[in-house]
Amino acid sequence: MRDEASAAPAAKAYDPPRKFTGGGVRLSATEAEHTETTLWKTKAFVLTETSLSAYDTRGSGGPAWSVRKPAGMSTGVDERARVWESTQPSVVTQGGRTLVLFAYQKYTEGTGTAKGRSTVSLRAVDADSGTVAWTVSVPAPKGMSFNSDSSPSVVGVEDGIAVLTARTTPDFDDVYDDPRSMVTYGIDLAARHVDWRESGFGARVVADGVIAGEQLPRQAEIGDVNWTAPDGGMRLVGRSVSDGTVRWKDSRNLFGLKIESMGAGLMSVEMVLEFKENRQTYALLDATTGRRPAGMTEAGERDFAYEGRSCVYDERSVIVCGSADHSLTALDSRTHTVLWEINEDDPSRDVPSLIAAWHGAVYVDAGVILDARTGKDDGTFSAGYLTHVNEYGGLDMDLTVYEAAG
C-alpha cells in the first residue's frame, strides 16, 4: 500500500513562481518558537531550539520526520535570535545521499567530584528518512569550555568541509565582565574528522574558499547584537576553508564588531573604532578579499553598509536590500553595480517592504512581484508574507506553506 507522499503526483517547478495555491497549509511547528528554515525542493527543514524536522510542502502540515535526540540538546536557535543572527540547516550531497547538517550542544550533569560539562557536535541526517547518518563531536580548546549559550552553528559547507563555530568561556574564575570567545572548526564530511581548529575566531561568512569572521582578544564579550572588546585588539579576518590559515586581515584595531552576510560573498560590517566614544564606521566588503567589492564606489559602499539595512540574495545574480530610510535597492552580485532603487523621492511609486527574492523575482509586502534586474512591477501574488521561496513554493513568516501554481 502506498503512503500519501508516494501516491501524490510529481511536483511541478516554476522558476520563479508567480502564482501560489490559495489558503496554504500551516506547518505544525509552533509559530511562537524561534525557527531557522531551509527550503529544498519540496521539503522545508525547520530547526528549533530542541529539534530538526522535515515537512513536505505539499503535505498536510505535519512533519515527515523529526530528530529530537539526544534529550536536552540545544541547537542555539534561541540565543542566535537574541543577537539577530541565524544559520539555516545546511543541505549537502554525500555518497549518493542528501544529508541535512546541524550543530547542537548537550550538557551532562557532573557526578561525584566530576564537573558537569557541555559538548558540541555536528550531526548529519538523511533528508528523505530522517535517519541520523552520523555525528561528530568536537573538542573545546585547551583552557576553554563550551558555555550554556555556546550557540553552535554550521556557517557554511564548501568542498566537503563543514565550517562549524561555537562560543566558549575560559576555565578560570578571576575574570571580569563574563568574557566570551569563539572557536571555529573545519570538519571533513567524508572522513567525519576535524581537519583544523582555530580558537578565538568566530566564522560568519563562507564564500569561495574563504571564511570571514572576527578574531577576538582574550577579554571579549557578546552584547545585544555584536562583539565588544573594551581594551581593543579585535580584528576582522579571512581564513581558508581548507586549513584555517589566514588569507587576509584588516589592519584596524577594533573595540566592537558585527558582521552580516548579504549573500553572494558580500558582507556588511559594523566596526567600533573607539570604545568610550562609541565611534563607528560601516563597510560593505567582499568576504574573499576583505576589500570593497570590485565595481563598487566609495559612495555606493556607504549607501549599502549601514545599520538597519536588510538584504536578500535571489540565488542567481541580484542582491536586493531594504532599509530603515524607506528605500529598496538592487545590486548586481557579479559586477557590484547598483541596478535600480525605489525611494521616497519618486512621487509615482510607493516604497514596498522587501520580504523575499528568488531567481529574478522580488516578492514585496504589497503582494507585488518586481523584476529583480529592473525593479519594475512584474505581476502580483496572494500568498501571505513570504520569507522563503524556491521553484516549488513559498513559506510565510507564520510557517504557512503555499505551493507554486504558475
Side-chain angles (χ1 to χ4, degrees), residues 15-346:
D15 198 13
R18 301 180 183 280
K19 297 179 181 179
F20 300 87
T21 54
V25 175
R26 178 75 172 272
L27 303 185
S28 60
T30 304
E31 182 185 357
E33 291 182 308
H34 295 299
T35 60
E36 296 176 354
T37 304
T38 297
L39 284 186
W40 179 79
K41 296 185 178 180
T42 59
K43 285 188 171 65
F45 300 112
V46 180
L47 188 67
T48 70
E49 182 67 16
T50 57
S51 69
L52 172 71
S53 300
Y55 296 84
D56 186 338
T57 57
R58 301 177 301 147
S60 61
W65 52 258
S66 291
V67 175
R68 299 181 181 275
K69 293 182 179 180
M73 76 173 181
S74 167
T75 66
V77 168
D78 287 350
E79 172 60 17
R80 287 196 293 277
R82 183 187 72 82
V83 293
W84 299 91
E85 294 175 357
S86 65
T87 307
Q88 287 74 34
S90 298
V91 181
V92 300
T93 301
Q94 184 187 35
R97 301 172 71 184
T98 300
L99 302 175
V100 189
L101 305 180
F102 73 101
Y104 66 89
Q105 70 180 54
K106 174 71 169 66
Y107 179 75
T108 302
E109 294 281 355
T111 57
T113 60
K115 291 183 177 180
R117 69 189 187 102
S118 288
T119 56
V120 167
S121 301
L122 173 66
R123 173 157 288 181
V125 181
D126 187 284
D128 291 320
S129 66
T131 303
V132 175
W134 48 261
T135 303
V136 175
S137 294
V138 298
K142 185 178 180 179
M144 307 292 286
S145 297
F146 297 116
N147 45 283
S148 59
D149 61 350
S150 64
S151 187
S153 59
V154 181
V155 180
V157 181
E158 280 196 2
D159 297 326
I161 301 292
V163 178
L164 185 154
T165 193
R167 292 186 207 159
T168 57
T169 192
D171 289 336
F172 52 86
D173 298 325
D174 56 338
V175 296
Y176 62 91
D177 290 337
D178 195 21
R180 292 284 190 268
S181 190
M182 296 286 287
V183 59
T184 296
Y185 304 85
I187 302 173
D188 186 310
L189 299 181
R192 304 171 195 174
H193 176 267
V194 177
D195 277 4
W196 57 267
R197 179 182 73 191
E198 190 62 38
S199 184
F201 176 69
R204 293 295 168 218
V205 181
V206 175
D208 295 331
V210 177
I211 311 161
E214 57 262 331
Q215 194 71 47
L216 302 171
R218 188 168 181 265
Q219 297 291 349
E221 303 167 28
I222 181 70
D224 291 337
V225 295
N226 63 348
W227 282 94
T228 60
D231 297 326
M234 193 181 303
R235 291 289 191 274
L236 178 63
V237 176
R239 294 183 175 274
S240 168
V241 170
S242 61
D243 59 15
T245 56
V246 174
R247 287 284 195 86
W248 56 263
K249 181 184 292 186
D250 192 280
S251 61
R252 283 168 283 201
N253 174 39
L254 303 178
F255 296 81
L257 183 59
K258 180 182 180 182
I259 304 169
E260 293 183 281
S261 174
M262 295 176 64
L266 300 188
M267 58 184 183
S268 177
V269 183
E270 174 188 341
M271 294 173 275
V272 179
L273 304 177
E274 291 182 6
F275 188 74
K276 290 184 178 180
E277 300 297 328
N278 196 29
R279 186 165 67 89
Q280 298 171 316
T281 187
Y282 298 90
L284 174 65
L285 302 177
D286 185 329
T288 63
T289 64
R291 302 190 186 99
R292 184 184 304 146
M296 174 63 68
T297 65
E298 184 177 355
E301 179 187 359
R302 286 197 302 269
D303 287 342
F304 273 88
Y306 65 87
E307 189 175 16
R309 185 173 284 275
S310 175
C311 298
V312 178
Y313 178 42
D314 80 341
E315 303 297 334
R316 178 176 283 172
S317 66
V318 179
I319 298 169
V320 188
C321 296
S323 68
D325 69 348
H326 303 294
S327 67
L328 196 64
T329 312
L331 188 72
D332 188 296
S333 64
R334 300 185 184 96
T335 65
H336 306 131
T337 55
V338 175
L339 296 171
W340 52 266
E341 182 176 18
I342 303 174
N343 57 46
E344 292 184 324
D345 293 335
D346 184 351

